[in-house]
Amino acid sequence: MLTLGIETSCDETSAAVVSDRKLLSNIIASQDEIHKKFGGVVPELAGRRHLEVISGVVESALSQAGIKMDQVEAVAVTKGPGLVVCLLVGLGFAKALPWSRQLPLSGVNHLEGHLLSVFLENPQMQFPFLGLIASGGHTILCLAEDWGRYKMLGQTLDDAAGEALDKAAKVLGLPYPGGKEIDRVSKQGNPKAIRFPIAFTKHSELDLSFSGLKTALVRYVKEHPESKDHLPDLAAGFQEAVVKALVQKTDFAIDKFKIKSMVLSGGVAANQRLRSACEELARKKGISVSIPSFRLCTDNAGMIALVGEEKLKRGLKDALTLDARAVLPLENWK
Ligand code: KG4
Ligand code: ZN
């Protein structure tokens, strides 16, 4: 089934074509240049930019897949979580085809897209697996039992891992988008030169917390102003604390739920240090680990088309009244 996917939940306008879990195209138009001068995403500007480019992005996705608009058989679109002003642009555009040609429409949870994006490169991937979703808005540990069947095991109680990295980059005067910059600068630093604390979460052993880490960085820089001359060490130390926290909780979950296979996904999964730390953990535990390639870690419509196709194959269609949801947990549909 030739499924057109559309993703506009934050600051990337993306369109993709998927057929039987195979990615035929995946176009991503980044808005980094627009938001750079503000040091973060400005929702109003992001929404307007989506509106300006979405038509061209969809055309490119169709052309790269070698198909015409009238060959599209189904449409999948991100319904949330995300910035409503941005989601609405994708939803509005996505609904035109189902409305005019009575094609099936699927509203996809962005988090589910991240979690299952590994199927695009590994269509034979087997359930169950432990999922660690680390993005700019979410940090989740979950058990993926099947398509549409998930158990939440833990999540951040405050900032998401990506948000912590982005905020740290701002404190260190690194440009937006910060997570990627921290990753780049850390490569020249010593992760052990400055140690930052890992939060202990009383609430549940599988929950995480990153807000104290940012405060620790702010305090350290204030107390040691000369440390800014050793930016790579500061960045590497901070990144190491984020990675350690994620790996520590994943380690607990592997033991507690007797995990045999895990998946790392979401924008922060593009982080080199986190990728190698998860690979190391999996080796140590004797389990398998799957991590999408860099382009499929950050926001993209390929993962949305993939999940939409699977839902539609199971007869789960959405009506044209489908609406944007700013907050949307990882929900079960089975
Ligand atoms: O999944 P994503 O593209 O958007 C959300 O759903 O939030 O994730 C974006 C987050 C941002 O916080 C960004 O700084 C972070 O992923 N990120 C990275 C890297 N690339 C993107 N963090 C660390 N290292 C990277 N290489
Ligand atoms: Zn995302």
Side-chain angles (χ1 to χ4, degrees):
M1 178 163 57
L2 283 167
T3 305
L4 170 67
I6 292 177
E7 150 67 38
T8 60
S9 66
C10 191
D11 61 341
E12 254 105 27
T13 319
S14 180
V17 179
V18 163
S19 182
D20 294 325
R21 296 186 192 170
K22 209 167 152 243
L23 193 58
L24 304 184
S25 65
N26 200 12
I27 305 291
I28 305 163
S30 161
Q31 301 183 359
D32 285 355
E33 283 311 311
I34 294 175
H35 304 290
K36 208 172 218 156
K37 49 184 170 292
F38 303 100
V41 179
V42 183
E44 201 57 38
L45 297 181
R48 245 183 279 163
R49 187 65 182 157
H50 285 308
L51 205 52
E52 281 162 11
V53 304
I54 191 158
S55 179
V57 168
V58 169
E59 263 173 42
S60 301
L62 295 175
S63 130
Q64 200 182 83
I67 63 165
K68 299 255 179 282
M69 189 71 99
D70 60 10
Q71 289 174 273
V72 171
E73 294 168 295
V75 181
V77 61
T78 308
K79 61 179 173 180
L83 299 167
V84 170
V85 68
C86 297
L87 290 165
L88 285 174
V89 177
L91 277 160
F93 197 92
K95 285 178 190 176
L97 269 181
W99 184 83
S100 59
R101 289 187 33 226
Q102 288 78 51
L103 296 186
L105 172 72
S106 176
V108 174
N109 185 316
H110 182 85
L111 300 172
E112 200 177 356
H114 277 308
L115 177 67
L116 304 174
S117 54
V118 283
F119 282 89
L120 288 170
E121 292 169 319
N122 183 4
Q124 303 313 324
M125 173 92 198
Q126 296 291 315
F127 291 98
F129 59 81
L130 174 72
L132 170 59
I133 311 170
S135 71
H138 298 82
T139 305
I140 291 171
L141 264 171
C142 65
L143 196 61
E145 295 175 330
D146 199 351
W147 292 95
R149 238 181 46 222
Y150 317 107
K151 257 196 201 116
M152 283 293 287
L153 304 181
Q155 60 187 317
T156 182
L157 301 174
D158 38 60
D159 289 353
E163 190 180 355
L165 289 164
D166 293 342
K167 284 179 177 172
K170 246 187 182 172
V171 172
L172 300 181
L174 293 168
Y176 170 87
K180 211 165 152 185
E181 280 297 303
I182 296 256
D183 191 1
R184 187 182 63 78
V185 172
S186 293
K187 291 193 178 107
Q188 273 90 55
N190 173 6
K192 290 185 182 150
I194 305 159
R195 290 179 196 262
F196 290 99
I198 295 172
F200 171 76
T201 47
K202 259 199 244 157
H203 177 64
S204 150
E205 62 180 356
L206 293 179
D207 281 336
L208 295 118
S209 164
F210 293 105
S211 64
L213 189 55
K214 192 206 82 178
T215 312
L217 175 68
V218 172
R219 195 178 313 125
Y220 188 91
V221 171
K222 210 169 170 185
E223 287 168 5
H224 306 85
E226 76 292 349
S227 65
K228 280 224 172 179
D229 297 336
H230 305 279
L231 205 63
D233 286 345
L234 270 175
F238 188 88
Q239 175 181 272
E240 195 61 15
V242 171
V243 169
K244 270 199 175 148
L246 293 169
V247 168
Q248 193 185 69
K249 299 293 171 156
T250 308
D251 192 333
F252 284 160
I254 291 171
D255 288 346
K256 188 166 176 181
F257 297 94
K258 300 187 175 40
I259 299 296
K260 299 272 179 290
S261 152
M262 72 165 281
V263 163
L264 169 66
S265 62
V268 184
N271 185 273
Q272 281 290 0
R273 179 70 195 107
L274 180 60
R275 294 170 84 92
S276 49
C278 284
E279 281 161 359
E280 205 179 302
L281 174 70
R283 240 190 329 270
K284 197 178 92 191
K285 296 279 179 190
I287 68 166
S288 67
V289 60
S290 299
I291 312 173
S293 54
F294 293 103
R295 233 175 130 69
L296 292 178
C297 286
T298 43
D299 291 350
N300 69 90
M303 64 186 195
I304 302 304
L306 169 94
V307 176
E309 182 186 58
E310 293 297 324
K311 289 177 88 172
L312 291 171
K313 266 195 221 160
R314 291 161 179 80
L316 282 160
K317 282 191 224 169
D318 280 297
L320 288 173
T321 48
L322 179 70
D323 211 353
R325 304 269 300 274
V327 180
L328 188 64
L330 196 57
E331 46 184 359
N332 289 337
W333 40 267
K334 237 170 127 178

